[in-house]
Amino acid sequence: MLRKTLMSMLFVFCGFAATAEQVVIAALGDSLTQGYGLPEQDGFVPQLDRWLKEQGADVNLINAGVSGDTTAGGAARVAWTLTPDVDGLIVSLGGNDLLRGIDPAVARANIEAIVKTAAESDVDVLLVGLQAPGNYGADYKTAFDAIYPDLAELYQTGYAPSFFTGLSAENDPEAVRTFMQPDGIHPNAEGVARIVENLGPLVLDLVAVAGQ
């Protein structure tokens, strides 16, 4: 990243040897990120943090998940989430927009604002997608589902098609229930572990890029 390159040049100029710094990644999201309904150690961020460290990543993962948050909430707080020490940002928002039937154009504008703010702060992004259910109609689903791949391509961010990919290799809705809490919305500890196994390699890519 530019700011780290400049810092390294400054250290060399001043006669000091530059050393590698721990990569700081903030996970901006809602209850899925925050770890709703689970003991702290079983939530998404703690499990992902352990997985990354098991892979040898020197990373500090920050839980910036707020239960109930919409894309608007994420856009409102992204600026103060991106403190100067943050190198990378995982963006996983949109589920509460779906629950409220928020216009996909509004959700898109909010997520784009988040990605733009990260770009302006020289922070690399992994954008985690979400697919709308069919009960809002085909037009709504098409518009909402396109938000994430479109913005990832436009801003050249990392991209994961879905937070829930990996819960069922057979894409069997009945099998997925095994990995969910009783509310049918939030994953249980085993479900989170499967999510982490799926998203982990993409987060490792983010750590590698953000640490440059």
Side-chain angles (χ1 to χ4, degrees):
M1 296 173 66
L2 178 59
R3 59 181 173 181
K4 287 194 171 183
T5 301
L6 292 175
M7 288 176 66
S8 297
M9 292 174 62
L10 179 60
F11 287 149
V12 171
F13 180 78
C14 294
F16 296 102
T19 58
E21 296 181 15
Q22 187 177 57
V23 178
V24 179
I25 305 292
L28 183 72
D30 49 32
S31 57
L32 296 174
T33 300
Q34 182 267 334
Y36 176 87
L38 296 170
E40 182 178 356
Q41 69 272 14
D42 291 336
F44 172 70
V45 171
Q47 287 208 47
L48 178 58
D49 184 67
R50 291 195 297 272
W51 188 92
L52 291 170
K53 287 179 169 60
E54 287 171 359
Q55 312 311 309
D58 186 13
V59 60
N60 177 19
L61 194 59
I62 298 171
N63 192 340
V66 174
S67 186
D69 217 2
T70 61
T71 57
R77 62 190 176 88
V78 65
W80 55 262
T81 298
L82 296 177
T83 58
D85 59 329
V86 173
D87 305 299
L89 184 70
I90 302 169
V91 180
S92 182
L93 286 161
N96 290 304
D97 295 62
L98 286 176
L99 290 174
R100 301 179 189 187
I102 292 174
D103 186 341
V106 173
R108 182 188 182 100
N110 291 331
I111 295 175
E112 183 168 19
I114 293 170
V115 175
K116 277 185 174 180
T117 300
E120 291 166 358
S121 300
D122 194 25
V123 170
D124 295 291
V125 171
L126 171 62
L127 187 57
V128 182
L130 199 63
Q131 284 73 50
N135 57 300
Y136 291 124
D139 290 344
Y140 185 102
K141 179 172 174 57
T142 297
F144 191 94
D145 292 359
I147 292 171
Y148 304 91
D150 285 358
L151 292 178
E153 181 176 4
L154 181 62
Y155 290 93
Q156 294 296 291
T157 73
Y159 171 59
S162 174
F163 185 86
F164 293 104
T165 301
L167 286 190
S168 171
E170 298 81 18
N171 294 317
D172 179 1
E174 292 299 320
V176 170
R177 292 181 184 178
T178 305
F179 308 112
M180 303 298 287
Q181 295 181 44
D183 63 10
I185 297 174
H186 300 92
N188 57 29
E190 186 178 356
V192 171
R194 286 174 170 257
I195 289 167
V196 165
E197 288 177 2
N198 178 71
L199 290 179
L202 296 174
V203 179
L204 271 180
D205 291 343
L206 175 65
V207 172
V209 172
Q212 294 177 355

